[in-house]
Coordinates of all heavy atoms in Angstrom, one line a residue:
M1 N 129.3 178.3 26.3 CA 128.5 179.5 26.8 C 127.6 179.0 27.9 O 127.5 179.7 28.9 CB 127.7 180.1 25.7 CG 127.0 181.3 26.1 SD 128.2 182.6 26.4 CE 127.1 184.0 26.7
I2 N 126.9 177.9 27.8 CA 126.0 177.4 28.8 C 126.8 177.1 30.0 O 126.3 177.3 31.2 CB 125.2 176.3 28.3 CG1 124.2 176.7 27.2 CG2 124.4 175.6 29.4 CD1 123.4 175.6 26.5
L3 N 128.0 176.5 29.9 CA 128.8 176.1 31.0 C 129.2 177.3 31.8 O 129.2 177.3 33.1 CB 130.0 175.4 30.6 CG 131.0 174.8 31.6 CD1 130.2 173.8 32.5 CD2 132.2 174.2 31.0
I4 N 129.5 178.4 31.2 CA 129.8 179.6 31.9 C 128.7 180.2 32.7 O 128.8 180.6 33.8 CB 130.4 180.7 30.9 CG1 131.7 180.2 30.3 CG2 130.6 182.1 31.6 CD1 132.2 181.1 29.2
I5 N 127.5 180.1 32.1 CA 126.3 180.5 32.8 C 126.0 179.6 34.0 O 125.7 180.1 35.1 CB 125.0 180.6 31.9 CG1 125.3 181.6 30.8 CG2 123.8 180.8 32.6 CD1 124.3 181.6 29.7
I6 N 126.1 178.3 33.9 CA 125.9 177.4 35.0 C 126.9 177.7 36.1 O 126.5 177.7 37.3 CB 126.0 176.0 34.5 CG1 124.8 175.7 33.6 CG2 126.0 175.0 35.7 CD1 124.8 174.3 32.9
I7 N 128.2 177.9 35.8 CA 129.2 178.1 36.8 C 128.9 179.4 37.5 O 129.0 179.5 38.7 CB 130.6 178.2 36.2 CG1 131.0 176.7 35.7 CG2 131.6 178.7 37.1 CD1 132.3 176.7 34.9
G8 N 128.4 180.4 36.7 CA 128.1 181.7 37.3 C 126.9 181.6 38.3 O 126.8 182.2 39.4
V9 N 125.9 180.8 38.0 CA 124.7 180.6 38.8 C 125.1 179.8 40.1 O 124.7 180.1 41.2 CB 123.6 179.9 38.0 CG1 122.4 179.6 38.9 CG2 123.1 180.9 36.9
R10 N 125.8 178.7 39.9 CA 126.0 177.8 41.0 C 127.2 178.2 41.8 O 127.4 177.7 42.9 CB 126.3 176.3 40.5 CG 125.0 175.8 39.9 CD 125.1 174.3 39.9 NE 123.9 173.7 39.5 CZ 123.6 172.4 39.6 NH1 124.6 171.6 40.0 NH2 122.5 172.0 39.3
G11 N 128.1 178.9 41.3 CA 129.3 179.4 42.1 C 130.5 178.5 41.8 O 130.6 177.8 40.8
K12 N 131.4 178.5 42.7 CA 132.7 177.8 42.5 C 132.6 176.3 42.7 O 133.5 175.6 42.2 CB 133.7 178.4 43.5 CG 134.1 179.8 43.3 CD 135.1 180.3 44.3 CE 135.4 181.8 44.1 NZ 136.4 182.2 45.1
T13 N 131.6 175.8 43.4 CA 131.6 174.4 43.6 C 131.4 173.6 42.2 O 132.0 172.5 42.1 CB 130.4 174.0 44.5 OG1 129.2 174.5 44.0 CG2 130.6 174.6 45.9
M14 N 130.7 174.2 41.3 CA 130.6 173.5 40.0 C 131.9 173.4 39.3 O 132.2 172.4 38.7 CB 129.5 174.3 39.2 CG 129.3 173.8 37.8 SD 128.3 172.3 37.9 CE 128.2 171.9 36.2
L15 N 132.7 174.5 39.4 CA 134.0 174.5 38.7 C 135.0 173.5 39.4 O 135.7 172.8 38.8 CB 134.6 175.9 38.8 CG 135.9 176.0 38.0 CD1 135.8 175.7 36.6 CD2 136.4 177.5 38.2
Q16 N 134.9 173.4 40.7 CA 135.7 172.4 41.4 C 135.4 171.0 41.1 O 136.2 170.1 41.0 CB 135.6 172.6 42.9 CG 136.3 173.9 43.4 CD 136.0 174.3 44.8 OE1 135.2 173.6 45.5 NE2 136.7 175.3 45.3
R17 N 134.1 170.7 40.9 CA 133.7 169.3 40.6 C 134.2 169.0 39.2 O 134.6 167.9 38.9 CB 132.2 169.2 40.6 CG 131.6 169.1 42.0 CD 130.2 168.9 42.0 NE 129.6 168.9 43.3 CZ 128.3 169.0 43.5 NH1 127.5 169.0 42.5 NH2 127.9 169.1 44.8
A18 N 134.2 169.9 38.3 CA 134.6 169.7 36.9 C 136.1 169.4 36.8 O 136.6 168.5 36.1 CB 134.2 170.8 36.0
L19 N 136.9 170.1 37.7 CA 138.3 169.9 37.7 C 138.7 168.7 38.5 O 139.7 168.1 38.2 CB 139.0 171.2 38.3 CG 138.9 172.5 37.4 CD1 139.5 173.6 38.2 CD2 139.5 172.3 36.1
G20 N 137.9 168.3 39.4 CA 138.2 167.1 40.2 C 138.2 165.8 39.5 O 138.9 164.9 39.8
S21 N 137.4 165.8 38.4 CA 137.3 164.5 37.7 C 138.6 164.2 36.9 O 138.8 163.1 36.4 CB 136.1 164.5 36.8 OG 136.3 165.5 35.8
G22 N 139.4 165.2 36.6 CA 140.6 165.0 35.9 C 141.6 164.1 36.7 O 142.4 163.4 36.0
W23 N 141.5 164.1 38.0 CA 142.4 163.2 38.8 C 142.0 161.8 38.6 O 142.9 160.9 38.7 CB 142.3 163.6 40.3 CG 143.0 164.9 40.6 CD1 142.4 166.0 40.8 CD2 144.4 165.1 40.5 NE1 143.4 167.0 41.0 CE2 144.6 166.5 40.9 CE3 145.5 164.3 40.3 CZ2 145.9 167.0 40.9 CZ3 146.8 164.9 40.4 CH2 146.9 166.2 40.7
G24 N 140.8 161.5 38.2 CA 140.4 160.1 38.0 C 141.1 159.5 36.7 O 141.1 158.3 36.5
I25 N 141.6 160.4 35.9 CA 142.2 159.9 34.7 C 143.8 160.1 34.8 O 144.5 159.2 34.4 CB 141.8 160.8 33.5 CG1 140.3 160.5 33.3 CG2 142.5 160.4 32.2 CD1 139.6 161.4 32.3
L26 N 144.2 161.1 35.4 CA 145.7 161.4 35.6 C 146.3 160.4 36.5 O 147.4 159.9 36.2 CB 145.9 162.8 36.0 CG 145.6 163.9 35.0 CD1 145.8 165.3 35.7 CD2 146.5 163.8 33.8
L27 N 145.7 160.1 37.7 CA 146.3 159.3 38.7 C 146.5 157.8 38.1 O 147.7 157.3 38.2 CB 145.5 159.3 39.9 CG 146.1 158.5 41.1 CD1 147.4 159.2 41.6 CD2 145.1 158.5 42.3
P28 N 145.5 157.2 37.6 CA 145.8 155.8 37.1 C 146.7 155.9 35.9 O 147.5 154.9 35.7 CB 144.4 155.3 36.6 CG 143.4 156.2 37.3 CD 144.1 157.5 37.5
G29 N 146.6 156.9 35.1 CA 147.5 157.0 33.9 C 149.0 157.1 34.3 O 149.9 156.4 33.7
M30 N 149.3 157.8 35.4 CA 150.7 157.9 35.9 C 151.1 156.6 36.5 O 152.3 156.1 36.3 CB 150.8 159.0 36.9 CG 150.7 160.4 36.3 SD 151.0 161.8 37.4 CE 149.7 161.5 38.7
I31 N 150.2 155.9 37.2 CA 150.6 154.6 37.8 C 150.9 153.6 36.8 O 151.9 152.9 36.8 CB 149.5 154.2 38.8 CG1 149.4 155.1 40.0 CG2 149.7 152.7 39.2 CD1 148.2 154.9 40.9
I32 N 150.0 153.5 35.8 CA 150.2 152.5 34.7 C 151.4 152.8 33.9 O 152.1 151.9 33.4 CB 148.9 152.4 33.9 CG1 147.7 151.9 34.7 CG2 149.1 151.5 32.7 CD1 147.9 150.6 35.3
T33 N 151.6 154.1 33.6 CA 152.8 154.5 32.9 C 154.1 154.0 33.6 O 155.0 153.6 33.0 CB 152.8 156.0 32.6 OG1 151.6 156.3 31.9 CG2 154.0 156.4 31.8
G34 N 154.1 154.2 34.9 CA 155.2 153.7 35.7 C 155.4 152.2 35.7 O 156.5 151.7 35.6
L35 N 154.2 151.5 35.7 CA 154.3 150.0 35.6 C 154.7 149.6 34.2 O 155.2 148.4 34.0 CB 152.9 149.4 35.9 CG 152.5 149.4 37.3 CD1 151.1 148.9 37.5 CD2 153.4 148.5 38.2
A36 N 154.5 150.4 33.2 CA 154.9 150.0 31.8 C 156.4 149.9 31.7 O 156.9 149.1 30.8 CB 154.4 151.1 30.8
F37 N 157.1 150.5 32.5 CA 158.6 150.4 32.5 C 159.1 149.3 33.3 O 160.3 149.0 33.3 CB 159.2 151.7 33.0 CG 159.0 152.9 32.1 CD1 158.2 153.9 32.4 CD2 159.6 153.0 30.8 CE1 157.9 155.0 31.6 CE2 159.4 154.0 30.0 CZ 158.6 155.1 30.4
T38 N 158.3 148.5 33.9 CA 158.7 147.3 34.7 C 158.7 146.0 33.9 O 159.1 145.0 34.4 CB 157.8 147.1 35.9 OG1 156.5 146.9 35.5 CG2 157.9 148.3 36.9
D39 N 158.3 146.1 32.6 CA 158.3 144.9 31.7 C 157.4 143.8 32.3 O 157.9 142.6 32.5 CB 159.7 144.4 31.4 CG 160.5 145.4 30.6 OD1 159.9 146.1 29.8 OD2 161.7 145.4 30.7
L40 N 156.2 144.1 32.6 CA 155.2 143.0 33.0 C 154.9 142.1 31.9 O 155.0 142.5 30.7 CB 154.0 143.7 33.6 CG 154.1 144.5 34.8 CD1 152.8 145.2 35.2 CD2 154.6 143.6 36.0
S41 N 154.5 140.9 32.2 CA 154.1 139.9 31.1 C 152.7 140.3 30.6 O 152.0 141.1 31.1 CB 154.1 138.5 31.7 OG 153.1 138.4 32.7
L42 N 152.4 139.6 29.5 CA 151.1 139.9 28.9 C 150.0 139.4 29.8 O 148.9 140.0 29.8 CB 151.0 139.2 27.5 CG 151.9 139.7 26.4 CD1 151.8 138.8 25.2 CD2 151.6 141.1 26.1
A43 N 150.2 138.3 30.5 CA 149.2 137.8 31.4 C 148.9 138.8 32.6 O 147.8 138.9 33.0 CB 149.6 136.5 32.0
A44 N 150.0 139.5 33.0 CA 149.8 140.5 34.1 C 149.0 141.6 33.6 O 148.1 142.2 34.3 CB 151.2 140.9 34.6
W45 N 149.2 142.1 32.4 CA 148.4 143.2 31.8 C 147.0 142.8 31.6 O 146.1 143.6 31.9 CB 149.0 143.7 30.5 CG 150.3 144.5 30.7 CD1 151.5 144.1 30.3 CD2 150.4 145.8 31.3 NE1 152.4 145.1 30.7 CE2 151.8 146.1 31.2 CE3 149.5 146.6 31.9 CZ2 152.2 147.3 31.8 CZ3 150.0 147.8 32.4 CH2 151.3 148.2 32.3
K46 N 146.8 141.5 31.2 CA 145.4 141.1 31.0 C 144.7 141.0 32.4 O 143.5 141.3 32.5 CB 145.4 139.7 30.3 CG 145.8 139.8 28.9 CD 145.8 138.4 28.2 CE 146.3 138.5 26.8 NZ 146.4 137.2 26.1
T47 N 145.4 140.6 33.4 CA 144.8 140.5 34.7 C 144.5 141.9 35.2 O 143.4 142.1 35.9 CB 145.8 139.9 35.7 OG1 146.2 138.6 35.2 CG2 145.2 139.7 37.1
M48 N 145.3 142.9 34.9 CA 145.0 144.3 35.3 C 143.7 144.8 34.6 O 142.9 145.5 35.2 CB 146.2 145.2 35.1 CG 147.3 144.9 36.0 SD 148.7 146.0 35.7 CE 148.0 147.6 36.1
I49 N 143.6 144.4 33.4 CA 142.4 144.9 32.6 C 141.1 144.2 33.2 O 140.1 144.9 33.5 CB 142.5 144.5 31.1 CG1 143.6 145.3 30.4 CG2 141.2 144.7 30.4 CD1 144.0 144.8 29.1
V50 N 141.2 142.9 33.5 CA 140.0 142.3 34.0 C 139.7 142.8 35.4 O 138.5 143.0 35.7 CB 140.3 140.7 34.0 CG1 139.2 140.0 34.8 CG2 140.3 140.2 32.6
S51 N 140.7 143.0 36.2 CA 140.4 143.5 37.6 C 139.9 144.9 37.5 O 139.0 145.3 38.3 CB 141.7 143.5 38.4 OG 142.7 144.3 37.9
G52 N 140.4 145.7 36.6 CA 139.8 147.1 36.5 C 138.4 147.1 36.0 O 137.5 147.9 36.5
L53 N 138.0 146.2 35.1 CA 136.6 146.1 34.7 C 135.7 145.6 35.7 O 134.6 146.1 35.9 CB 136.6 145.2 33.4 CG 137.2 145.8 32.1 CD1 137.2 144.7 31.0 CD2 136.5 147.0 31.7
L54 N 136.2 144.6 36.5 CA 135.4 144.1 37.6 C 135.2 145.1 38.7 O 134.1 145.2 39.3 CB 136.0 142.8 38.2 CG 135.9 141.6 37.3 CD1 136.7 140.4 37.9 CD2 134.5 141.2 37.0
L55 N 136.3 145.8 39.1 CA 136.1 146.8 40.1 C 135.2 148.0 39.6 O 134.5 148.5 40.5 CB 137.5 147.4 40.4 CG 138.3 146.6 41.4 CD1 139.7 147.2 41.6 CD2 137.6 146.5 42.7
T56 N 135.2 148.3 38.4 CA 134.3 149.3 37.9 C 132.9 148.9 38.0 O 132.1 149.7 38.5 CB 134.6 149.6 36.4 OG1 136.0 150.1 36.2 CG2 133.7 150.7 35.8
S57 N 132.6 147.7 37.7 CA 131.2 147.3 37.8 C 130.8 147.2 39.3 O 129.6 147.5 39.6 CB 131.0 145.9 37.1 OG 131.8 144.9 37.7
L58 N 131.7 146.7 40.2 CA 131.3 146.7 41.6 C 131.2 148.1 42.2 O 130.3 148.3 43.0 CB 132.4 145.9 42.3 CG 132.5 144.4 42.1 CD1 133.6 143.8 42.8 CD2 131.2 143.8 42.5
M59 N 132.0 149.0 41.8 CA 131.9 150.4 42.3 C 130.7 151.1 41.8 O 130.2 152.0 42.5 CB 133.2 151.1 41.9 CG 134.4 150.7 42.7 SD 135.9 151.5 42.2 CE 135.8 153.0 43.0
L60 N 130.2 150.8 40.7 CA 128.9 151.4 40.3 C 127.8 151.2 41.2 O 126.9 152.0 41.3 CB 128.6 150.9 38.9 CG 129.4 151.6 37.7 CD1 129.0 150.9 36.4 CD2 129.1 153.0 37.6
Y61 N 127.7 150.0 41.9 CA 126.6 149.7 42.7 C 126.9 150.1 44.2 O 125.9 150.1 45.0 CB 126.4 148.2 42.7 CG 125.9 147.7 41.4 CD1 126.7 147.0 40.5 CD2 124.6 148.1 40.9 CE1 126.2 146.6 39.3 CE2 124.1 147.7 39.7 CZ 124.9 147.0 38.9 OH 124.5 146.6 37.6
H62 N 128.1 150.6 44.5 CA 128.3 151.0 45.9 C 128.0 152.5 46.0 O 128.4 153.3 45.1 CB 129.8 150.8 46.2 CG 130.1 150.9 47.7 ND1 130.4 152.0 48.3 CD2 130.2 149.9 48.6 CE1 130.6 151.8 49.6 NE2 130.5 150.5 49.8
K63 N 127.3 152.8 47.1 CA 126.8 154.2 47.2 C 128.0 155.2 47.3 O 127.9 156.3 46.7 CB 125.9 154.3 48.5 CG 125.2 155.6 48.6 CD 124.3 155.5 49.8 CE 123.6 156.8 50.0 NZ 122.7 156.8 51.2
Q64 N 129.0 155.0 48.1 CA 130.0 155.9 48.3 C 131.2 155.8 47.3 O 131.8 156.8 47.0 CB 130.6 155.8 49.7 CG 129.6 156.2 50.8 CD 130.1 155.9 52.2 OE1 131.0 155.1 52.4 NE2 129.5 156.6 53.2
L65 N 131.5 154.6 46.9 CA 132.6 154.4 45.9 C 132.2 154.8 44.5 O 133.1 154.9 43.6 CB 133.1 153.0 46.0 CG 133.7 152.5 47.3 CD1 134.1 151.1 47.2 CD2 134.9 153.4 47.6
R66 N 130.9 155.0 44.3 CA 130.5 155.4 42.9 C 131.2 156.6 42.4 O 131.4 156.8 41.2 CB 129.0 155.6 43.0 CG 128.3 155.8 41.6 CD 126.8 156.0 41.8 NE 126.3 154.8 42.4 CZ 125.2 154.8 43.1 NH1 124.5 155.9 43.3 NH2 124.7 153.7 43.7
H67 N 131.6 157.5 43.3 CA 132.2 158.8 42.9 C 133.6 158.6 42.4 O 134.2 159.5 41.7 CB 132.2 159.8 44.0 CG 130.9 160.0 44.6 ND1 129.9 160.7 43.9 CD2 130.3 159.7 45.7 CE1 128.8 160.8 44.6 NE2 129.0 160.1 45.7
F68 N 134.2 157.4 42.6 CA 135.6 157.2 42.2 C 135.7 156.1 41.1 O 136.7 155.4 41.0 CB 136.4 156.7 43.4 CG 136.4 157.7 44.5 CD1 135.6 157.5 45.7 CD2 137.2 158.8 44.5 CE1 135.6 158.4 46.7 CE2 137.1 159.7 45.5 CZ 136.4 159.5 46.6
V69 N 134.6 156.0 40.4 CA 134.5 154.9 39.4 C 135.5 155.1 38.2 O 135.9 154.1 37.5 CB 133.1 154.7 38.9 CG1 132.7 155.8 37.9 CG2 132.8 153.4 38.2
L70 N 136.0 156.3 38.0 CA 137.0 156.6 36.9 C 138.3 155.9 37.2 O 139.0 155.6 36.3 CB 137.2 158.1 36.7 CG 136.1 158.8 35.9 CD1 136.5 160.3 35.9 CD2 136.0 158.2 34.5
L71 N 138.7 155.7 38.5 CA 140.0 155.1 38.8 C 140.2 153.7 38.2 O 141.1 153.5 37.4 CB 140.2 155.1 40.3 CG 140.3 156.5 40.9 CD1 140.4 156.4 42.4 CD2 141.6 157.2 40.4
P72 N 139.3 152.8 38.5 CA 139.5 151.4 37.9 C 139.2 151.4 36.4 O 139.9 150.6 35.7 CB 138.6 150.5 38.7 CG 137.6 151.4 39.2 CD 138.2 152.7 39.5
S73 N 138.3 152.2 35.9 CA 138.0 152.1 34.5 C 139.1 152.7 33.7 O 139.4 152.2 32.6 CB 136.7 152.8 34.2 OG 136.8 154.2 34.5
C74 N 139.8 153.7 34.2 CA 141.0 154.2 33.5 C 142.2 153.3 33.6 O 143.0 153.2 32.6 CB 141.3 155.6 34.0 SG 140.2 156.9 33.4
V75 N 142.3 152.5 34.7 CA 143.3 151.5 34.8 C 143.1 150.5 33.7 O 144.1 150.1 33.0 CB 143.3 150.9 36.2 CG1 144.2 149.6 36.2 CG2 143.9 151.9 37.2
A76 N 141.9 150.1 33.5 CA 141.6 149.1 32.5 C 141.8 149.6 31.1 O 142.4 148.9 30.2 CB 140.1 148.6 32.6
L77 N 141.5 150.9 30.8 CA 141.7 151.5 29.5 C 143.1 151.7 29.2 O 143.6 151.2 28.1 CB 141.0 152.9 29.5 CG 141.2 153.7 28.2 CD1 140.5 153.0 27.0 CD2 140.7 155.1 28.4
V78 N 143.9 152.2 30.1 CA 145.3 152.4 29.8 C 146.1 151.1 29.7 O 147.0 150.9 28.9 CB 145.9 153.4 30.9 CG1 147.4 153.5 30.7 CG2 145.2 154.7 30.9
S79 N 145.7 150.1 30.6 CA 146.3 148.8 30.5 C 146.0 148.1 29.1 O 146.9 147.5 28.5 CB 145.8 147.9 31.6 OG 146.2 148.4 32.8
G80 N 144.8 148.3 28.6 CA 144.5 147.8 27.3 C 145.3 148.5 26.2 O 145.7 147.8 25.2
I81 N 145.4 149.8 26.3 CA 146.2 150.5 25.3 C 147.7 150.0 25.3 O 148.3 149.8 24.3 CB 146.2 152.0 25.5 CG1 144.7 152.5 25.2 CG2 147.2 152.7 24.7 CD1 144.5 153.9 25.6
I82 N 148.2 149.8 26.5 CA 149.6 149.3 26.6 C 149.7 147.9 26.1 O 150.7 147.5 25.4 CB 150.1 149.4 28.1 CG1 150.3 150.9 28.4 CG2 151.4 148.7 28.3 CD1 150.7 151.2 29.8
L83 N 148.7 147.1 26.3 CA 148.7 145.7 25.8 C 148.7 145.7 24.3 O 149.4 144.9 23.7 CB 147.5 144.9 26.4 CG 147.5 143.4 26.1 CD1 148.6 142.7 26.8 CD2 146.2 142.9 26.6
V84 N 148.0 146.6 23.7 CA 147.9 146.7 22.2 C 149.3 147.1 21.7 O 149.8 146.6 20.7 CB 146.8 147.6 21.8 CG1 146.9 148.0 20.3 CG2 145.4 147.0 22.0
V85 N 149.9 148.1 22.4 CA 151.2 148.5 21.9 C 152.3 147.4 22.1 O 153.1 147.3 21.2 CB 151.6 149.8 22.8 CG1 153.1 150.1 22.6 CG2 150.8 151.0 22.4
I86 N 152.2 146.7 23.2 CA 153.2 145.6 23.3 C 153.0 144.5 22.2 O 153.9 144.0 21.7 CB 153.0 144.9 24.7 CG1 153.5 145.9 25.8 CG2 153.7 143.6 24.8 CD1 153.2 145.4 27.2
N87 N 151.7 144.2 21.9 CA 151.5 143.2 20.9 C 151.9 143.7 19.5 O 152.4 142.9 18.7 CB 150.0 142.8 20.9 CG 149.6 141.8 21.9 OD1 150.5 141.1 22.4 ND2 148.4 141.8 22.4
A88 N 151.7 145.0 19.3 CA 152.1 145.5 18.0 C 153.6 145.6 17.8 O 154.1 145.4 16.7 CB 151.5 146.9 17.8
S89 N 154.3 145.8 18.9 CA 155.8 145.9 18.8 C 156.4 144.5 18.7 O 157.5 144.4 18.2 CB 156.3 146.6 20.0 OG 156.1 145.9 21.2
Q90 N 155.7 143.5 19.2 CA 156.3 142.1 19.1 C 156.0 141.5 17.7 O 156.8 140.6 17.3 CB 155.7 141.2 20.2 CG 156.2 141.5 21.5 CD 155.6 140.6 22.6 OE1 154.7 139.8 22.3 NE2 156.0 140.8 23.8
G91 N 155.0 141.9 17.1 CA 154.6 141.2 15.8 C 154.9 141.9 14.6 O 155.6 142.4 14.0

């Protein structure tokens, strides 16, 4: 209810900002899902997780890149999930 009132007061820009953050999750998810079919090694997945975490921390301190911080953090999250699935299927 409060969200509807806020959108009504602020106009369409509030709604566009809320919908825009979905791309920060969908885009890395689609890229990592595509990479999952390439049969990367465990070391490659671990490298992707570490690079995603490092990029997230660096982007938090950058003034303009701060708005895109969901991209590397979701890469790290989805890569971690895929790594767990790979380890579970092998053992």
Side-chain angles (χ1 to χ4, degrees):
M1 183 68 175
I2 293 175
L3 183 61
I4 295 171
I5 294 170
I6 292 173
I7 291 172
V9 171
R10 290 202 173 190
K12 294 180 182 178
T13 57
M14 178 74 178
L15 184 61
Q16 289 172 350
R17 285 184 187 167
L19 292 177
S21 66
W23 288 106
I25 297 169
L26 290 176
L27 186 63
M30 290 187 298
I31 292 170
I32 297 297
T33 304
L35 286 173
F37 292 110
T38 60
D39 293 331
L40 294 175
S41 67
L42 294 178
W45 285 112
K46 290 177 184 178
T47 305
M48 289 181 64
I49 293 170
V50 169
S51 63
L53 292 173
L54 289 174
L55 278 174
T56 299
S57 62
L58 290 175
M59 289 175 78
L60 281 173
Y61 293 110
H62 195 275
K63 186 177 181 180
Q64 293 173 340
L65 294 178
R66 187 178 301 154
H67 303 291
F68 303 104
V69 76
L70 279 178
L71 294 172
S73 62
C74 285
V75 166
L77 175 70
V78 175
S79 297
I81 292 171
I82 290 177
L83 188 64
V84 167
V85 169
I86 290 172
N87 280 335
S89 66
Q90 288 179 354

